[in-house]
Amino acid sequence: MELTVWLSLLSVCLLGAMSPGPSLAMVIRHTLGGGPLKGITCAWAHALGIGVYALVTLSGLAVLLKQAPLLFNGIALAGAAYLLWLGWQALNAQADAQDKLACSKRTDWLTAARDGLAISLFNPKILLFFLALFSQFIKAADSLTGQILIVLTPMVMDGLWYTLVALMLSHHKVLSRLRTNALWIDRLSGIVLIVLALRVVYSTFEN
């Protein structure tokens, strides 16, 4: 996999993790309810779920690419449409950051890990996101190293970002900054998702 392709994957995964939503709210909830270590536990359990989705999606799309290229292209175009919709939703997001960054009662280790894993594994939007995202990168993953990078990149970036969130929340001023910038993160994510969708369409018809 070329460095430029990997950097593109890295940036999209980072923005996806940074976008305010239920996963961020869950990590914040356990951090504020049980301390940074509980938040980090939730973060890496969530990242594990992301890795499972990445592996399953990559394996399925790889089979389709070899055995049914027309179906693969169809999924790629459907994924592009989904990315466009996500991008449009993000650009027009008006959700209250207070709701996205809500805190809750005290928590324990097992609950933190369970909630982190569950919110990633049982969120169908994450699977749809990976189907849309991986359709353009799977062709570049023409080696075992490339395939490993495709799986590890979203998982590690997800875990590192939410770990950073959990650690930052030990400083009382950080939460207010997250609330203030939540809308701008949505806007930036929307632009990147729309550009990515157009790139998927272009690469599909080019081939």
Side-chain angles (χ1 to χ4, degrees):
M1 176 181 290
E2 296 181 359
L3 178 60
T4 55
V5 176
W6 180 76
L7 289 175
S8 178
L9 173 65
L10 179 68
S11 62
V12 173
C13 291
L14 180 58
L15 284 171
M18 291 176 64
S19 180
S23 298
L24 177 61
M26 185 65 68
V27 173
I28 291 176
R29 181 176 298 118
H30 285 292
T31 300
L32 298 181
L37 292 181
K38 303 289 178 55
I40 292 172
T41 299
C42 181
W44 284 100
H46 184 275
L48 179 61
I50 293 295
V52 170
Y53 264 130
L55 180 60
V56 170
T57 306
L58 175 65
S59 301
L61 288 178
V63 172
L64 282 179
L65 180 60
K66 292 181 180 179
Q67 299 184 358
L70 289 179
L71 180 58
F72 176 87
N73 288 337
I75 291 177
L77 291 176
Y82 179 68
L83 289 177
L84 280 172
W85 181 79
L86 285 179
W88 179 255
Q89 291 289 104
L91 285 176
N92 292 276
Q94 298 295 332
D96 187 356
Q98 297 285 347
D99 294 334
K100 290 181 176 181
L101 303 176
C103 62
S104 187
K105 60 184 180 180
R106 294 195 62 81
T107 186
D108 55 59
W109 297 99
L110 183 59
T111 302
R114 181 202 64 196
D115 289 350
L117 184 62
I119 204 168
S120 58
L121 287 181
F122 298 112
N123 186 352
K125 290 184 178 180
I126 294 179
L127 176 59
L128 292 174
F129 182 79
F130 274 117
L131 284 171
L133 176 65
F134 278 15
S135 62
Q136 71 160 318
F137 292 109
I138 190 172
K139 295 178 181 178
D142 51 2
S143 66
L144 179 60
T145 301
Q147 293 172 351
I148 292 174
L149 282 175
I150 281 186
V151 173
L152 289 183
T153 298
M155 182 175 72
V156 173
M157 289 310 302
D158 187 84
L160 288 178
W161 167 250
Y162 288 128
T163 295
L164 182 61
V165 168
L167 292 175
M168 288 191 305
L169 286 178
S170 60
H171 302 281
H172 65 281
K173 294 182 179 179
V174 173
L175 188 57
S176 62
R177 291 180 181 176
L178 285 174
R179 291 191 179 110
T180 301
N181 295 314
L183 197 60
W184 286 108
I185 293 174
D186 272 335
R187 296 290 188 267
L188 179 60
S189 299
I191 293 172
V192 172
L193 288 170
I194 289 173
V195 170
L196 180 61
L198 295 176
R199 179 177 173 180
V200 171
V201 173
Y202 174 78
S203 62
T204 299
F205 283 107
E206 183 184 35
N207 296 325

